[in-house]
Amino acid sequence: MDAAIVDGTAHLTTMIRGMLAAGSWQDRRGTNLLDGGCPFYGVYATSDGGHMAVGALEERFYAEFVRLLGIGEEAAATRYDLARWPELREAVAKTFLGRTRQEWTDVFDGSDACVAPSSPGRGPVPPAPGRPRHLHRARRAGPAGPRTPLLRHPRHPAYGPRPARCRHRRGRPRLGRTLPAPPGDFRMKRRIYTEDHEAFRAVVRTFLEKEVLPHYEQWEKDGIVSREAWLAAGRQGLLGIAVDEEYGGGGNPDFRYGAVLAEEFTRAGTPGLALGLHNDIIGPYLTSLATDEQKRRWLPGFCSGETITAIAMTEPGAGSDLQGIRTTAEDRGDHWVLNGSKTFISNGILADLVVVVARTTPEGGAHGLSLLVVGAARRASSAAATSTRSARSPRTPPSCSSTTSASPRRTCSASSTAPSST
């Protein structure tokens, strides 16, 4: 979880920085993609007081969202007109209020509109019958008659008059007043990094200057990162830092090296080369859950950059709530049948190895989920019938598809309850 937060924060910071540089970030709250201003990325109330979460960012998802919502072509055409976003948001909100949460769930069920029911909030806790909410404001009746108020703070009226308010004294700084900086360098210094970490930082900066920044603009145009950059990262020792040396890794589990990597990539504004996801999120799955045979098969390429990895968790109807995952994996004895849709898969366009979260038992909620490792050959065979953005195709963009893939059963790897992998 810590690795996901660090990696996600770095990507989010980089994206906001890019928006600011491009002039596409409005300096008003509620007018941007990430602060509630985007009408197709937010939460809407339904007629029964429930809520539906919308994340239809890509064109394909947005088209499906508009079609199922039925708001009309004229309103839908305002997607790229930021000045008309309030109009579109009002139309979407009004439409969602026309049905209940369950009715809208049924409408979007199984679609690629990226709409799902939002978990209801707990709301205020009602007071127990016969018991006031604020105990210090009322007397409680008991066997011996009324009791004195329950005091919660020394300033309660029962303690007597409140002390006189302190006045500002001449010569003392008031709150909010900016003071001149004292002489010398009094900036806060971080002490979490050692000389070894700073030396590693210099290596990362050199790698970015030589192998990434000169090509990044072209990668943006092509919509794909060059595999040569991954191989260069492997040669520089930036991949598999925590992997044992016997598999070609650095053998150093110190997470601060991953933090340095995330800081420098954020500083350079290059989130497309997702080394942090590869190292800090997928790496621990392989090193802690894979068998010895699987480690010998996967980890050398993982550390050299020849094997690029991705993780397929998010679905069109299940985002942060992984208990809502609908992708299933069925055990057929000598192989597993994997069936479902995944979306927003970082590295999915290049991945040779994908960790897929699927439901292996219908009951048990989160305890019925397992992790399956799907290789490039299997993904290519299942993606032959579709040109959509799929995690199963090593050369198609990272979005979603609804296909069935048969994977041979091998030694078990990662699972929440029942072991399942290929």
Side-chain angles (χ1 to χ4, degrees):
M1 178 60 71
D2 292 340
I5 291 174
V6 170
D7 189 66
T9 301
H11 281 69
L12 183 63
T13 304
T14 304
M15 184 169 63
I16 294 177
R17 177 181 173 183
M19 289 180 176
L20 286 169
S24 59
W25 185 269
Q26 311 272 346
D27 194 18
R28 299 192 312 277
R29 187 176 180 86
T31 58
N32 298 286
L33 175 65
L34 302 176
D35 64 0
C38 180
F40 42 90
Y41 188 75
V43 179
Y44 291 92
T46 56
S47 62
D48 59 343
H51 294 85
M52 298 295 292
V54 179
L57 293 178
E58 298 187 24
E59 289 189 15
R60 174 171 171 244
F61 302 150
Y62 180 76
E64 183 76 355
F65 165 65
V66 169
R67 183 183 69 81
L68 294 175
L69 192 65
I71 59 175
E73 296 183 0
E74 183 178 353
T78 62
R79 180 189 180 204
Y80 295 105
D81 189 352
L82 273 63
R84 299 184 64 186
W85 270 10
E87 174 188 340
L88 179 57
R89 171 169 282 279
E90 183 179 352
V92 173
K94 184 177 179 180
T95 305
F96 269 114
L97 285 173
R99 298 187 185 183
T100 65
R101 180 174 180 263
Q102 185 57 50
E103 289 174 339
W104 282 118
T105 301
D106 296 337
V107 168
F108 290 102
D109 184 34
S111 72
D112 287 342
C114 290
V115 179
S118 178
S119 301
R122 296 190 178 188
V125 179
R131 185 174 181 182
R133 181 184 298 274
H134 303 288
L135 299 181
H136 67 283
R137 294 183 180 177
R139 296 176 180 272
R140 296 181 295 168
R147 299 181 183 179
T148 57
L150 180 62
L151 306 181
R152 295 228 172 179
H153 196 278
R155 291 185 177 179
H156 192 276
Y159 279 99
R162 298 180 65 177
R165 190 182 300 274
C166 297
R167 297 180 178 274
H168 169 68
R169 296 182 182 178
R170 182 173 299 177
R172 289 189 178 182
R174 293 173 178 164
L175 292 178
R177 176 177 291 182
T178 302
L179 299 178
D185 187 3
F186 284 87
R187 292 176 298 177
M188 182 179 294
K189 295 181 176 62
R190 294 190 297 178
R191 300 179 180 178
I192 62 173
Y193 296 126
T194 65
E195 293 182 0
D196 292 338
H197 296 113
E198 297 304 330
F200 178 73
R201 186 187 302 277
V203 172
V204 176
R205 288 188 179 181
T206 301
F207 167 77
L208 288 168
E209 292 171 0
K210 293 183 176 181
E211 305 290 347
V212 177
L213 292 176
H215 314 289
Y216 200 79
E217 185 177 352
Q218 186 61 44
W219 295 346
E220 291 280 7
K221 294 178 181 179
D222 297 340
I224 186 172
V225 174
S226 171
R227 295 185 72 91
E228 291 299 323
W230 284 88
L231 296 174
R235 291 192 296 269
Q236 290 293 327
L238 305 184
L239 302 178
I241 300 171
V243 176
D244 291 341
E245 294 181 6
E246 63 177 301
Y247 303 113
N252 193 336
D254 188 347
F255 184 70
R256 289 176 291 181
Y257 288 100
V260 169
L261 202 65
E263 288 178 1
E264 292 307 312
F265 270 72
T266 302
R267 176 178 175 270
T270 55
L273 188 61
L275 303 189
L277 175 88
H278 183 84
N279 286 335
D280 303 328
I281 298 180
I282 301 166
Y285 285 136
L286 301 183
T287 56
S288 61
L289 299 175
T291 64
D292 291 338
E293 186 273 333
Q294 290 170 335
K295 290 179 181 178
R296 289 192 296 270
R297 182 153 43 101
W298 294 331
L299 290 180
F302 178 93
C303 298
S304 67
E306 297 173 287
T307 301
I308 302 173
T309 60
I311 186 165
M313 283 191 178
T314 306
E315 297 182 359
S320 58
D321 184 11
L322 295 180
Q323 296 189 58
I325 282 180
R326 296 178 180 271
T327 297
T328 60
E330 183 181 354
D331 187 358
R332 296 290 181 86
D334 61 341
H335 67 278
W336 291 86
V337 175
L338 182 63
N339 187 19
S341 301
K342 296 294 181 179
T343 185
F344 300 136
I345 305 170
S346 300
N347 288 348
I349 192 171
L350 284 170
D352 304 296
L353 211 63
V354 181
V355 178
V356 182
V357 183
R359 187 169 297 281
T360 50
T361 57
E363 66 282 344
H367 297 287
L369 300 177
S370 299
L371 303 177
L372 289 87
V373 179
V374 180
R378 289 289 157 185
R379 295 188 296 108
S381 64
S382 66
T386 177
S387 61
T388 58
R389 299 181 174 186
S390 171
R392 299 190 178 97
S393 173
R395 291 296 180 272
T396 53
S399 189
C400 73
S401 68
S402 227
T403 57
T404 303
S405 172
S407 300
R409 183 183 181 91
R410 290 202 181 102
T411 309
C412 298
S413 171
S415 172
S416 304
T417 53
S420 56
S421 82
T422 62

